[in-house]
Amino acid sequence: MKKAVGVSARRVEGLGKVTGMIKFPADYYEPGMLYGKTLRTKIASGRIISIDTSKAEALPGVRKVVTAKDVPGHNGHGVLFPDAPVLADSRIRSVNDAIALVAADTEEIAAEALELIKVEYEELPGVFDPREAMQEDAPKVWEKGNILYHLPIRKGDVEKGFAEADVIVENTYSTQMVDHAFLQPEAALCTIDERGHLVLRVATQYVHWDRVEVARALGLSVNQVRIICTAVGGAFGGREDMTVQIHCALLTWLTKKPVKMIYDRHESFHAHSKRHPMYMEYKTGAKKDGRLTAVEARIIGDSGAYASWAPNILRKAAVHATGPYQVPNVKVDSYAVFTNNPFTGAMRGFGAAQPPIAYEAQMDLLAEKLGLHPFTIRWRNAFEEGSVTATGQVLETSVGLKESLLAAAKAFGWDVEQLV
Amino acid sequence: MDKVRFSAEINGEQVDLLIPQNLRLIDLLRDYLHLTGTKEGCGEGECGACTVIIDGEPVNSCLIFALQARDKKILTIEGMGSLEQLHPLQTAFLDYGAVQCGFCTPGMLLAAKALLDKNPNPSREEIKTAISGNLCRCTGYSKIVDAIESLTGKEVNSK
Ligand code: FES
Ligand code: FES
């Protein structure tokens, strides 16, 4: 038998990648295929008064122009709630919104047709900071209210914890929106097979859910939709939501022709999710020896106009809010809030990447105030087997933090005996 | 738009075509010849995914018209090595784990080849400079540089 463990294996699809043979969605061609393009909104908050597609439809080489009224099934998609429109019908909530689709004989004709579509908007006041969006009188992104999700975590008694503290550090931290910028911009090629079923080739992270989303929007049953995941040119969370999938399938279904859609980098930035910016208000108390007595945190995540994974991500941020440290008294409130910003979703860490900016900075500031080495304050609070987290979980096994801390300290050449 | 004659040697074969004057080289390669190993990541000279070698020099094929490559020698990833006989750089990329999603890989390999063809013994810094026009969002670059470095001072000019 060939040895597998302990040897470096080559990627199974590596050969196709170093020779250029492997296919990403834009690398597929079909005889007689049309090219699809998307008209996107120019405003972030407002209303569509009218759409005139007649000039675009009259352009030679244009085979189909599609707007919201042509969506046969549910005009929405989303991994948790299908609240993002396939095509905006009247309300515009963010620059993500697509307004019309064109299928034409060539990419150039499709691009020209987009220029000929006339959209009349009424701009409405928008809200672009989730802290403002939480106020009673803020413009409403959704009628039901802007607060999408709230998770409180309570452990012990923070008032008592702060009363016991020798030092308290209070600060607000924020992180910015980040694009995954995977190297391969979104693309898809959709065909109809001999059974009359849709076959969509796309680079995706969520092939089975794409199938549900496409079927629901087109009013088909899932067995009429087949999603083939091609080679994926990076994703990092950014391919968990719909971008090109439903649009390409819709144009194919309505023209009964193969349709290819390719985003350029600019459109890619418009179409897919971003990492949640988070505003994090932290109050942390510690005794003279560095032991934490209490953490109070309020974390507000900007969901943009659509939910995507926001509740799950802000839940994860909340669960990680106290870091890998034992804290007897905890009060955490985590919110996901709608704004008119581009929607945010999954990205590496899924909500666990932002809070460390805050809780680790707090640790350094506490150490400075107490005259302790940054290592020492962490060592004295670090999780070990048997520790209880802020949510009450007992860590029974595999808690390697202290070993890691030791290894890192040694690598830095620190005198560990002195520091613990 | 009026079509014009285009000819060039692409991957060792003579190509003669009628093309629109404003056709980008990348579109000629991909849409006319279906040499889809050449990738478009940005279309504006930032990412290097579209790198090909023209008369020995690495070039962003999204930034030039096909006509600017008329009568020249063009090498794309499809001409670099074959399944039966990989170019040593291709083997090194596989062995060093320098390939993840693979979208940057063709451009990265051609940029590396253009370097080694001219300078078989580059320093690590020279390698980094040579691929500084090629973005990779997956690997963190170290393994790519390691893979290229593993071939310094070796006879790698198989093509
Ligand atoms: S596609 Fe040419 S440099 Fe990015
Ligand atoms: S391997 Fe994915 S961009 Fe380089």
Side-chain angles (χ1 to χ4, degrees), chain A residues 183 233-234, chain B residues 98-105 135-139 144:
Chain A
L183 204 59
Chain B
V99 180
Q100 286 190 26
C101 82
F103 200 75
C104 70
T105 307
L135 297 182
C136 176
R137 288 290 290 162
C138 307
T139 62
I144 295 174

Side-chain angles (χ1 to χ4, degrees), chain B residues 40-43 45-48 50 60 62:
Chain B
E40 180 160 358
C42 69
E46 289 290 341
C47 75
C50 63
N60 287 335
C62 74

